[in-house]
Amino acid sequence: MSGGPVGSARILAVDDERDTCEALAEMLTAWGHKVETAFDAHDALRKAGEFRPDVVLSDLAMPETDGLGLLRTLRDELPDCPVVLLTGHGTIDAAVAAIREGAYDFIVKPLDTARLKVCIDRALEKKETMREVQGLRRRLKQLGSSDFIGQSAVMRKVFELIEKVAPSKASVAISGESGTGKEVVARSIHNLSQRRDKPFVAINCASIPATLIESEIFGHEKGAFTGADQRRPGVFELAHGGTLFLDELGEIPIELQAKLLRVLEEGRLRRLGGKVELEVDVRVLCATNRDLKKEIEAKRFREDLYFRLNVFQIHLPPLRERRDDVPILVQHFVEKFRGDSAKRVTGVHPDAMETLKNHEWPGNIRELRNAVERAVILCDGELIMREHLPPDMAGKSPERHTFRLPYGLSLDAVEREYILGSLQRNGNNKARTAEILGVSEKTLYNKLNRYAAEARQGKTGESNTLSGNHGGSLLGNNPEFR
C-alpha cells in the first residue's frame, strides 16, 4: 500500500447471520470506522441510500437476494462504492465471477483480519482516487474543450489578459519557455477576436532556412529565383482578414525586418520578384525565446520593429511554477489519449500524480503531454501507475512507494501481501509484476501457486483471485472478533 494512513470511513456490513454481522461491525468500529449493519440485501439497499457508505462488505451467500444481486443493484445506485464480498470455499467461483461484474475484491472465510484491513485500505484509496478523477472531469467540463487549461492564480491572470486584449487590434508579444503553450495562447486570442471566422496562420521562423524565409513570409512570383516555377502567396496573404502568429520572431534576419515593419505599418506588401503591391489586413501575434532587448543591443533586431510588435505583452509561466494545474492537465490528456487509443484508463494513481506534480518539467506542457500519452499506451488497467511514467521521471520521485501493513505479521506473510499487492497494482499483469519485483516469471508463478495451495489447506486465510479457503465461521479463531 502506498500513501498515508487511511482515516475513518463509512462502511456498510451485510450478513444474514446477525451475530457474525454485529461482530464484524464491532471490529470495524474499533478500527475507527463508522459502521451500519444490514441483515439482508433489501435492508442493505435501503441503508446504502441513506448512509452513503464508502465501502460495502457483504456476505456472498444470503437467502433470497445474494451478494451478487446486491452488487448489481449497488453498481447502478452507487457506482463509485467498492463492494468487497465475503465467501466460503464453496463459493469462490461465484466470487471470481462477481469480480468480473465489478466487485472490488473478495475475502475467503474464516477471515484474516490483516488481509481485511489491507483490503479496506486499498478500496478506500481507489474510491478516493476515483473521486478525484470525477472532480477533475467536472472541472474540465466547466473549462470547455479548449486545450488551454489551468486554474492556478498565475494562469487566471493570463486568461484575464487574453480576454482583455483579444477584442482589440493590438499586436501581442507572447513570451515563455519552450513548450509552455504560446501558440495555444495565440489561437485563443484569435478565437475570442472579431477575426475568429477568418484564417489563423502560424509559422515558426526558426524552422525555415534563411534562404527561404523571405519567400515564406511575403510570397514570390514565378521565376523570382531558381526553382520558383509558379507564383506562391506568403503567410501574410494566407492570413488576410485574420491572424498571423510568428513564432521565434528573433530568428528573422535583420535585413528582412525593415520589410516586415513596412507591412505592419502600411498594410501593403510586394511579393519577392513582384512589381505590384498588395493590400493585406492581418493582426500579428508573435513569440520568441530570445531576449529581444539584448538582440537590439547586439544590432541583431530592429528597435522600431520591437516596439511595433510589443504593444501588449503576455508571459506564460513554466509548468514548475503552476504545479496546481498538473492534475487537471493530466486528466485532460488522459481523456484525449484514451479516446484515441480505445483504452479503459480513467485516471492516475495518487503515487503517479505526486511524481508528475514534483517533476521539474523542462519541456513544460509539451513534455507532460508526451509523458501522459506514453503512460496511456502502457497502461492496461484503469489507473496510470508510476511504472507507466518515463523511467527517468519515475525514478526521481521524492518518495519511494511505501507498503503499509499491520504489526504482528510473519516475514512470509509480509512477502505474500507485498507480492499480491504488487500483482493487484499492476492489473494482474504477472510479467510486469515479476519485472518490478526483480524475480523471474517462473518464481512468481511458483509463489502464487503455493499461496493458492496454502489457502485451500486453510493455512493463511488469504484471499485473492487465485486462492481459496475452507468455509466455516466468518469469525474463525481471530481474537479481534471476540
Side-chain angles (χ1 to χ4, degrees), residues 359-375:
H359 186 61
E360 286 301 304
W361 299 113
N364 293 292
I365 309 296
R366 187 181 295 115
E367 183 186 1
L368 175 64
R369 182 184 188 277
N370 293 343
V372 175
E373 182 175 15
R374 175 187 188 275

Side-chain angles (χ1 to χ4, degrees), residues 304-323:
D304 47 4
L305 178 59
Y306 171 81
F307 287 118
R308 179 64 182 79
L309 289 171
N310 205 42
V311 175
F312 195 92
Q313 305 87 33
I314 295 178
H315 176 70
L316 276 177
L319 189 54
R320 60 184 173 275
E321 293 179 9
R322 43 178 295 217
R323 297 185 192 275

Side-chain angles (χ1 to χ4, degrees), residues 182-480:
K182 295 187 287 294
E183 183 174 336
V184 178
V185 172
R187 288 185 181 275
S188 298
I189 293 172
H190 173 75
N191 291 336
L192 291 172
S193 74
Q194 295 179 348
R195 297 172 178 260
R196 67 178 68 88
D197 295 327
K198 299 296 183 178
F200 174 86
V201 178
I203 180 175
N204 188 318
C205 302
S207 66
I208 304 169
T211 54
L212 297 178
I213 193 165
E214 182 176 8
S215 169
E216 189 72 25
I217 293 177
F218 304 110
H220 64 256
E221 296 288 351
K222 181 179 180 180
F225 52 85
T226 303
D229 54 357
Q230 60 183 354
R231 174 186 291 173
R232 187 174 186 275
V235 291
F236 269 95
E237 287 182 75
L238 296 175
H240 179 66
T243 305
L244 173 62
F245 175 55
L246 298 174
D247 199 5
E248 301 295 352
L249 176 72
E251 301 298 326
I252 295 179
I254 187 73
E255 57 270 18
L256 293 183
Q257 293 175 20
K259 187 173 182 179
L260 176 60
L261 178 62
R262 181 172 178 268
V263 175
L264 294 175
E265 291 181 338
E266 300 179 7
R268 301 176 68 85
L269 64 79
R270 183 179 297 166
R271 297 190 192 104
L272 187 62
K275 298 179 180 179
V276 179
E277 285 196 334
L278 306 172
E279 290 190 4
V280 288
D281 172 23
V282 176
R283 182 185 190 179
V284 176
L285 312 176
C286 67
T288 181
N289 284 326
R290 291 193 180 189
D291 185 336
L292 291 185
K293 290 185 177 180
K294 290 184 177 179
E295 294 295 295
I296 291 170
E297 292 175 1
K299 308 297 183 183
R300 290 190 294 266
F301 201 85
R302 293 179 62 103
E303 187 174 30
D304 47 4
L305 178 59
Y306 171 81
F307 287 118
R308 179 64 182 79
L309 289 171
N310 205 42
V311 175
F312 195 92
Q313 305 87 33
I314 295 178
H315 176 70
L316 276 177
L319 189 54
R320 60 184 173 275
E321 293 179 9
R322 43 178 295 217
R323 297 185 192 275
D324 290 346
D325 287 333
V326 169
I328 196 167
L329 284 164
V330 168
Q331 189 63 37
H332 167 71
F333 291 131
V334 166
E335 302 284 342
K336 172 180 173 57
F337 296 124
R338 178 184 66 172
D340 293 346
S341 60
K343 290 276 189 169
R344 62 189 183 98
V345 57
T346 58
V348 179
H349 189 278
D351 286 346
M353 186 65 79
E354 196 64 22
T355 299
L356 292 169
K357 288 178 69 175
N358 284 286
H359 186 61
E360 286 301 304
W361 299 113
N364 293 292
I365 309 296
R366 187 181 295 115
E367 183 186 1
L368 175 64
R369 182 184 188 277
N370 293 343
V372 175
E373 182 175 15
R374 175 187 188 275
V376 169
I377 291 171
L378 292 176
C379 182
D380 294 323
E382 293 184 357
L383 297 178
I384 289 173
M385 315 302 290
R386 271 190 54 200
E387 52 265 26
H388 299 138
L389 303 179
D392 58 333
M393 187 181 301
K396 292 182 179 178
S397 177
E399 293 184 9
R400 301 296 295 172
H401 282 309
T402 58
F403 195 74
R404 189 172 63 250
L405 287 172
Y407 287 110
L409 293 183
S410 68
L411 191 58
D412 284 344
V414 170
E415 181 190 63
R416 180 176 63 248
E417 192 55 50
Y418 187 77
I419 289 174
L420 295 176
S422 298
L423 186 65
Q424 182 183 22
R425 178 181 293 277
N426 288 292
N428 210 36
N429 186 317
K430 298 176 183 61
R432 186 181 303 132
T433 301
E435 181 182 358
I436 291 171
L437 293 175
V439 299
S440 67
E441 287 188 55
K442 181 179 179 181
T443 298
L444 178 61
Y445 274 101
N446 287 341
K447 288 183 178 292
L448 293 176
N449 289 334
R450 177 163 61 84
Y451 300 156
E454 289 174 351
R456 285 192 294 272
Q457 295 167 13
K459 290 183 178 180
T460 67
E462 286 297 330
S463 159
N464 58 77
T465 55
L466 298 172
S467 65
N469 207 330
H470 284 301
S473 168
L474 169 69
L475 306 185
N477 297 316
N478 287 300
E480 292 187 68

